[in-house]
């Protein structure tokens, strides 16, 4: 007898017994929990269906139904009249006995333990929350007829409201699911199609908006990089060493051409200036056994500030099976300052199978393997934060340099005017020397451009010329005593003035007046 059981017996005086399976009630609400209640972001239903398509396509490659070079295609057809969306793939499909069995099962995925992306056996029901009807059509071979299975979402809601309706999940599914055979001539030899019909109207109607769908899937789905993104090939080649990649050719009705990942050479950053991408860098993250547990990449740009959400690439993101898990802020707390996450463009492909997305796919299960991964990312996030900070330091140095150059040229004008006592003039030369030294330092710190460096050098030579050769004495026509008085008077003007430029203009006018 186990220790727990003997403790229980010691306490109660009787032995513990098991409950009977027939006495366990599995109520209707469970269905709600695995469909409607599961996905907070309505767009994630597209992720679930594209994920299934990607699994179906990979399986088709394994079975030979799709040859290695043929593209895996997913097409999303939007029909706004019946408010329907159809998502069709050219994967292995589902036929024979398995069609009904797999599509009525709850949480009993045949994919568990395989390389497939799904494994919880509920994702295909995501649409139930947002549509009146959820239909699946498929066949896996041209010799079969096409079968259609429909989950009646409206009846489901009605039955859930009835207090004396069936309160057994099997009886409920029996009432709301229907199956039929349909003529196959208009359908491909093997395919799988989901149709959401009577889609609910949400704010902005994103579920029927081709651009919203494409923008969402550009971020999360396993799609190729745009040919217009010149680092795409390098990233693809680097990832191919570790990640099985078979990006999908995905099209959305109303949008020309395939949907690509959002990265480009120039990041259009909302209403701010576009950012140029300068370089890509790669990282390997070890798992707890020291082998590669994840591979990732960063795009380095000007780091001028946070990226707009509309760039579709803001924030460090994680992917499993080339599908995004969670959102753009998943690891923002791991940055030295969380705001720097939104300056970052980067992705990590998790390879370690012990790092598992949670059921909602909005985060990972919290375990030692995930904790180890996050730990190893720390130095990389510190590096990004350093880039962000130094770039703002650089920008500050540039601004300071501009100010220093302006001040230097004002002081040189004063020296050229030559209106003060020899002692004050010596002080002024010292001051300008100091200003030029500072400008030189700032130019080095901010990696100033050649024209700016020239400007600094020019100020230096102007100073030495003026200091060595002196300037024309504008008060030479005065008697020495008078001259000295004016010089001290002008010094006072400079000392008491808030604004050197204005003071110099005043002194210029006075000199002009007295030399008339
Ligand atoms: N696009 C598809 N192609 C082929 N089979 C599919 C497709 N979508 C769903 N299925 C079948 O339905 C099953 C249940 O899907 P789902 O509820 O998403 O759970 P999971 O993906 O976790 O197995 C899948 O395991 C698969 O057998
Ligand atoms: Mg799935």
């Amino acid at each position: 007898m186990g220790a727990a059981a003997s403790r229980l017996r010691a306490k109660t005086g009787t032995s513990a017994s098991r409950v009977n399976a027939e006495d366990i009630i599995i109520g209707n609400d469970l269905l709600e929990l695995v469909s409607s209640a599961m996905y907070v972001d309505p767009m994630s239903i597209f992720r679930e269906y594209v994920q299934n398509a990607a699994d179906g396509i990979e399986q088709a490659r394994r079975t030979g139904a799709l040859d290695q070079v043929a593209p895996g295609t997913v097409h999303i057809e939007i029909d706004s009249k019946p408010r329907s969306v159809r998502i069709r793939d050219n994967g292995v499909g589902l036929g024979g006995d398995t069609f009904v069995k797999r599509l009525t099962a709850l949480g009993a995925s045949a994919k568990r333990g395989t390389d497939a992306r799904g494994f919880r056996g509920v994702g295909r029901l995501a649409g139930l929350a947002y549509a009146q009807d959820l239909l699946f059509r498929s066949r896996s071979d041209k010799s079969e007829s096409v079968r259609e299975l429909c989950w009646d979402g409206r009846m489901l809601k009605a039955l859930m409201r009835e207090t004396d309706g069936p309160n057994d999940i099997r009886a409920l599914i029996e009432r709301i699911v229907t199956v039929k055979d349909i003529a196959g001539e208009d359908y491909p030899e093997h395919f799988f199609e989901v149709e959401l019909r009577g889609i609910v109207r949400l704010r902005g109607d994103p579920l029927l908006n081709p651009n919203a769908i494409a923008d969402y899937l550009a971020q999360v789905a396993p799609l190729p990089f745009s040919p217009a993104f010149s680092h795409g090939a390098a990233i693809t080649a680097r990832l191919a060493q570790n990640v099985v990649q078979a990006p999908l050719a995905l099209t959305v009705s109303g949008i020309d051409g395939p949907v690509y990942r959002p990265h480009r050479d120039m990041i259009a950053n909302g209403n701010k200036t576009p950012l140029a991408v300068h370089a890509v860098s790669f990282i390997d993250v070890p798992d707890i056994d020291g082998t590669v547990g994840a591979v990732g990449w960063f795009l380095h740009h000007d780091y001028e500030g946070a990226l707009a959400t509309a760039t579709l690439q803001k924030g460090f993101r994680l992917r499993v099976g080339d599908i995004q898990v969670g959102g753009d802020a998943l690891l923002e707390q791991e940055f030295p300052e969380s705001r720097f996450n939104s300056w970052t463009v980067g992705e990590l492909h998790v390879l370690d199978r012990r790092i598992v997305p949670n059921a909602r796919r909005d985060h990972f299960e919290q375990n030692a393997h995930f904790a180890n991964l996050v730990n190893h990312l720390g130095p990389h996030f510190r590096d990004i934060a350093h880039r962000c900070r130094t770039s703002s330091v650089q920008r500050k140095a540039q601004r300071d340099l501009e100010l220093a150059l302006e001040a230097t040229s004002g002081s040189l004008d004063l020296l050229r005017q030559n209106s003060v006592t020899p002692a004050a003039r010596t002080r002024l030369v010292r001051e300008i020397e100091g200003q030029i030294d500072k400008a030189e330092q700032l130019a080095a710190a901010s990696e100033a451009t050649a024209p700016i460096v020239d400007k600094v050098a020019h100020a230096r030579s102007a100073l030495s010329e003026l200091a060595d050769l002196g300037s024309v004495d504008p008060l030479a026509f005065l008697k020495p005593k008078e001259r000295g008085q004016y010089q001290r008077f002008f010094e006072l003007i400079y000392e008491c003035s808030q604004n050197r430029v204005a003071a110099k203009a005043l002194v210029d006018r006075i000199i002009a007046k007295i030399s008339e």
Side-chain angles (χ1 to χ4, degrees):
M1 189 186 302
S6 57
R7 259 201 311 281
L8 190 68
R9 202 161 77 130
K11 217 169 154 191
T12 61
T14 58
S15 61
S17 62
R18 301 207 177 274
V19 296
N20 293 320
E22 309 89 75
D23 293 339
I24 300 170
I25 299 167
I26 300 184
N28 294 345
D29 296 304
L30 198 66
L31 189 53
E32 164 127 31
L33 289 173
V34 299
S35 58
S36 317
M38 188 73 125
Y39 304 99
V40 183
D41 174 9
M43 296 310 270
S44 52
I45 68 180
F46 289 104
R47 182 195 60 212
E48 289 305 315
Y49 294 124
V50 170
Q51 175 178 318
N52 282 345
D55 282 341
I57 285 165
E58 243 153 57
Q59 205 190 329
R61 287 196 207 286
R62 274 194 303 275
T63 63
L66 206 59
D67 77 58
Q68 295 302 321
V69 289
T73 61
V74 176
H75 177 70
I76 300 181
E77 185 69 35
I78 301 164
D79 200 343
S80 43
K81 272 256 169 59
R83 297 189 62 76
S84 90
V85 167
R86 265 180 296 137
I87 304 151
R88 181 189 287 186
D89 67 69
N90 67 344
V92 68
L94 201 57
D97 304 340
T98 51
F99 181 79
V100 174
K101 205 170 176 174
R102 295 269 162 76
L103 295 177
T104 51
L106 285 186
S109 179
K111 297 178 190 169
R112 195 176 269 276
T114 69
D115 276 346
R117 296 163 179 82
F119 61 88
R120 297 196 197 261
V122 293
R124 75 188 181 291
L125 299 178
L128 268 183
Y130 300 101
Q132 282 171 3
D133 288 307
L134 176 59
L135 298 105
F136 302 96
R137 288 179 206 100
S138 187
R139 71 172 157 195
S140 55
D141 192 273
K142 65 170 181 287
S143 64
E144 300 168 350
S145 58
V146 172
R147 307 197 77 192
E148 178 183 287
L149 184 142
C150 173
W151 286 70
D152 185 333
R154 236 185 318 192
M155 185 175 325
L156 169 64
K157 289 204 181 76
L159 290 175
M160 296 286 284
R161 275 196 301 271
E162 272 178 26
T163 43
D164 53 356
N167 193 19
D168 169 79
I169 201 155
R170 276 202 196 86
L172 178 77
I173 293 174
E174 206 171 34
R175 294 273 301 271
I176 62 173
V177 172
T178 50
V179 191
K180 67 176 175 192
D181 281 1
I182 50 178
E185 57 262 30
D186 293 337
Y187 289 93
E189 292 178 12
H190 56 92
F191 75 101
F192 190 98
E193 177 175 277
V194 184
E195 181 174 346
L196 307 177
R197 210 187 274 157
I199 288 181
V200 298
R201 206 179 290 272
L202 303 169
R203 210 170 135 243
D205 220 2
L207 295 173
L208 287 180
N209 178 334
N211 290 310
I213 296 169
D215 281 356
Y216 174 76
L217 290 172
Q219 297 174 76
V220 307
L223 303 181
F225 287 113
S226 162
F229 174 49
S230 42
H231 296 288
I235 296 175
T236 305
R238 176 64 189 79
L239 293 179
Q241 297 169 19
N242 303 86
V243 186
V244 184
Q245 270 182 312
L248 303 175
L250 184 139
T251 47
V252 180
S253 67
I255 290 187
D256 286 341
V259 179
Y260 294 115
R261 302 299 319 281
H263 314 88
R264 301 289 186 275
D265 291 350
M266 291 296 289
I267 305 173
N269 194 17
N271 48 14
K272 293 185 229 161
T273 36
L275 300 166
V277 172
H278 302 302
V280 58
S281 68
F282 295 98
I283 60 170
D284 274 0
V285 182
D287 64 17
I288 57 170
D289 307 316
T291 55
V292 180
V295 288
W297 53 271
F298 290 96
L299 286 190
H300 300 297
H301 51 87
D302 292 329
Y303 293 106
E304 288 194 343
L307 301 180
T309 301
T311 60
L312 310 180
Q313 49 195 293
K314 166 180 91 173
F316 191 71
R317 303 171 184 222
L318 273 62
R319 297 170 84 81
V320 173
D322 204 12
I323 293 182
Q324 185 172 309
V325 175
D328 60 40
L330 191 84
L331 293 183
E332 87 178 347
Q333 293 307 323
E334 306 304 325
F335 279 75
E337 284 176 57
S338 60
R339 67 193 176 102
F340 289 139
N341 175 59
S342 57
W343 298 38
T344 306
V345 181
E347 291 187 344
L348 188 76
H349 290 259
V350 177
L351 310 170
D352 186 346
R353 305 286 297 182
R354 298 165 298 186
I355 299 173
V356 189
N358 70 11
R360 289 171 192 262
R361 276 188 89 87
D362 60 3
H363 215 299
F364 287 86
E365 289 181 359
Q366 298 298 316
N367 61 21
H369 303 283
F370 181 67
N372 170 67
L373 178 84
V374 172
N375 247 340
H376 279 286
L377 288 171
H380 301 295
F381 293 163
R382 285 199 288 281
D383 170 64
I384 295 285
H386 179 69
R387 288 171 191 260
C388 298
R389 285 201 193 98
T390 50
S391 88
S392 44
V393 168
Q394 271 187 27
R395 283 195 306 282
K396 187 174 178 304
Q398 273 159 18
R399 265 198 310 278
D400 290 351
L401 173 58
E402 277 162 30
L403 291 176
L405 279 171
E406 218 174 280
T408 310
S409 99
S411 308
L412 284 168
D413 285 346
L414 225 60
L415 194 62
R416 220 169 267 124
Q417 189 189 49
N418 197 20
S419 62
V420 292
T421 59
R425 188 180 164 81
T426 311
R427 281 202 300 277
L428 185 59
V429 171
R430 293 262 154 69
E431 188 191 320
I432 300 173
E433 263 162 7
Q435 281 172 338
I436 295 176
D437 288 348
K438 188 179 158 206
E440 237 162 31
Q441 282 160 17
L442 288 167
S446 64
E447 291 171 21
T449 55
I452 305 253
V453 174
D454 279 350
K455 253 188 191 167
V456 180
H458 194 258
R460 173 87 65 202
S461 60
L463 173 66
S464 68
E465 233 167 76
L466 286 166
D468 290 346
L469 305 175
S471 315
V472 184
D473 186 349
L475 303 174
F477 62 94
L478 294 173
K479 292 200 186 77
K481 194 174 163 204
E482 239 184 314
R483 200 173 83 197
Q485 278 165 349
Y486 270 113
Q487 284 176 337
R488 273 189 292 281
F489 172 56
F490 291 152
E491 262 169 52
L492 274 173
I493 291 182
Y494 285 118
E495 262 171 47
C496 300
S497 158
Q498 301 279 346
N499 180 340
R500 262 193 178 181
V501 178
K504 178 177 173 289
L506 177 64
V507 171
D508 277 338
R509 282 203 298 279
I510 296 172
I511 294 173
K513 201 101 196 163
I514 56 177
S515 32
E516 264 169 7

